[in-house]
C-alpha cells in the first residue's frame, strides 16, 4: 500500500533552500511560541510573588530592575507581542485576508514592523 | 484521515479550532493587563492586588491559564511531531510538556483561589 502520510524535509537539508520572508516570520512564530512556553514558570513565579504581600511585591519590582532580569523580561514581552501579531495575521488569513503571495509578504513586513515598534516602546517603558 | 493518539483532540480540525479560540482568550487577557498597566496602574501593590484579585479577573486568570495550557500543548505537539523522530524521545518530551502544563494550571489556580 502506498504511504499517503505527508513527509517532512530533513532539517539539515533546509540550508539548501532560500527562505522567503513569510517562511522566516513563520519559523519565528514557532520559535517565539516555544520560548514563551519556557518563560511561563518565570512569569507565573513573578505573578505569584507580586500578589502575596506588599513586601513580596516590592521585592519583585526590585528584582525586575536588575539589568539581566529586565533584559529577559523585555525579551519575553517582545516574544509575546511578536507571537500575538503573527497570530493575528494567521486569523486574518483564516478569514481570507492577505492570502495571496503579495499579501503574505506584505503581512510579514507588517508584523515585523509592528514587533520592532513594540520592542522599542517596551524598551523605553522598561528603561 | 491521519489520526494521532497523542494529539489533543485526536482530530486536526478540532486542534485547529482550539488553537484559535484559546489564542483569542489569551490575547484578550494580554490586552486587559496591558490596558491596566498603561491606563490605570499607580504602580502600587494595593492597586495591582485589587485588580488581579477581583472576581472577574480571578476567573479570567484561570481561563487564560487553561487556554495557555491547551494552546501550548497543540504547538508543542506540532513541534515534537515535526522535529523529534525517535518515538521514545518524542513521548518523553511530550510527557514533560503535559506535566509542565498541568503544573502551571494548578499553580495558577493556587495563585488566584488560595486566599
Amino acid at each position: 500500500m502506498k504511504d499517503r502520510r505527508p513527509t517532512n524535509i530533513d532539517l539539515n537539508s533546509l540550508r539548501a533552500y532560500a527562505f522567503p520572508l513569510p517562511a522566516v516570520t513563520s519559523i519565528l512564530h514557532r520559535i517565539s511560541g516555544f520560548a514563551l512556553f519556557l518563560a511561563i514558570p518565570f512569569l507565573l513565579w513573578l505573578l505569584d510573588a507580586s500578589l502575596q504581600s506588599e513586601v513580596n511585591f516590592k521585592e519583585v519590582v526590585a528584582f525586575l530592575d536588575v539589568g539581566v532580569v529586565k533584559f529577559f523580561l523585555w525579551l519575553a514581552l517582545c516574544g509575546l507581542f511578536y507571537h500575538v501579531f503573527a497570530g493575528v495575521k494567521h486569523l486574518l488569513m483564516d478569514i481570507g485576508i492577505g492570502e495571496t503571495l503579495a499579501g503574505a509578504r506584505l503581512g510579514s513586513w507588517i508584523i515585523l514592523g509592528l514587533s520592532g515598534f513594540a520592542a522599542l516602546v517596551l524598551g523605553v517603558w522598561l528603561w | 484521515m491521519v489520526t494521532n493518539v497523542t494529539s489533543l483532540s485526536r482530530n486536526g480540525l478540532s486542534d485547529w479550532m482550539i488553537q484559535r479560540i484559546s489564542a483569542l482568550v489569551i490575547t484578550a487577557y494580554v490586552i486587559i493587563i496591558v490596558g491596566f498597566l498603561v491606563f490605570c496602574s499607580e504602580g502600587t501593590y494595593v492597586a495591582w492586588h485589587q485588580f488581579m484579585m477581583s472576581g472577574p479577573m480571578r476567573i479570567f486568570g484561570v481561563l487564560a491559564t487553561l487556554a495557555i495550557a491547551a494552546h501550548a500543548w497543540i504547538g508543542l505537539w506540532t513541534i515534537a511531531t515535526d522535529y523529534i523522530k525517535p518515538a521514545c524521545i518524542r513521548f518523553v518530551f511530550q510527557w514533560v510538556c503535559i506535566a509542565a502544563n498541568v503544573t502551571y494550571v494548578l499553580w495558577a489556580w493556587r495563585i488566584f483561589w488560595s486566599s
Side-chain angles (χ1 to χ4, degrees):
Chain A
M1 197 181 90
K2 204 176 160 200
D3 191 357
R4 289 164 57 84
R5 286 170 60 90
T7 53
N8 290 306
I9 303 164
D10 176 42
L11 270 187
N12 288 319
S13 67
L14 275 181
R15 273 171 288 184
Y17 294 84
F19 269 52
L21 186 68
V24 175
T25 53
S26 172
I27 195 72
L28 279 175
H29 196 187
R30 212 168 242 219
I31 293 168
S32 61
F34 186 68
L36 284 171
F37 172 70
L38 296 180
I40 292 175
F42 172 65
L43 297 172
L44 265 181
W45 178 68
L46 288 175
L47 178 70
D48 196 358
S50 74
L51 289 170
Q52 268 168 16
S53 70
E54 178 126 33
V55 178
N56 292 50
F57 177 83
K58 282 184 175 151
E59 274 174 9
V60 168
V61 173
F63 179 64
L64 288 178
D65 213 33
V66 178
V68 189
V69 181
K70 199 182 260 196
F71 176 72
F72 272 102
L73 180 68
W74 175 78
L75 214 58
L77 291 175
C78 288
L80 175 65
F81 275 80
Y82 178 83
H83 200 81
V84 168
F85 291 141
V88 170
K89 177 175 158 255
H90 253 297
L91 294 177
L92 289 175
M93 289 175 99
D94 286 344
I95 55 171
I97 299 172
E99 280 185 319
T100 60
L101 182 58
R105 283 202 184 118
L106 178 65
S108 295
W109 279 118
I110 291 173
I111 61 172
L112 282 180
L114 285 175
S115 304
F117 179 70
L120 211 69
V121 173
L122 284 167
V124 171
W125 178 60
L126 286 173
W127 277 281
Chain B
M1 190 174 75
V2 177
T3 56
N4 188 314
V5 289
T6 54
S7 147
L8 183 67
S9 57
R10 299 199 182 180
N11 175 337
L13 189 61
S14 298
D15 276 2
W16 181 90
M17 204 64 207
I18 294 168
Q19 192 75 328
R20 274 142 185 87
I21 291 171
S22 59
L24 292 175
V25 174
I26 300 162
T27 307
Y29 192 67
V30 168
I31 290 173
I32 288 173
I33 290 185
V34 168
F36 171 79
L37 290 176
V38 171
F39 297 112
C40 313
S41 179
E42 309 143 28
T44 63
Y45 168 72
V46 175
W48 174 243
H49 189 269
Q50 262 180 2
F51 176 67
M52 291 302 283
M53 286 305 194
S54 64
M57 282 309 284
R58 280 186 181 195
I59 294 168
F60 207 173
V62 171
L63 275 181
T65 324
L66 284 171
I68 289 169
H71 192 91
W73 169 246
I74 294 168
L76 291 163
W77 177 85
T78 312
I79 288 177
T81 51
D82 274 357
Y83 304 133
I84 308 176
K85 290 299 154 193
C88 72
I89 299 176
R90 190 171 67 247
F91 282 135
V92 170
F93 175 82
Q94 290 180 333
W95 190 89
V96 171
C97 292
I98 292 173
N101 278 321
V102 170
T103 307
Y104 299 151
V105 170
L106 294 175
W107 190 357
W109 182 271
R110 209 209 62 196
I111 291 173
F112 289 114
W113 292 103
S114 67
S115 53

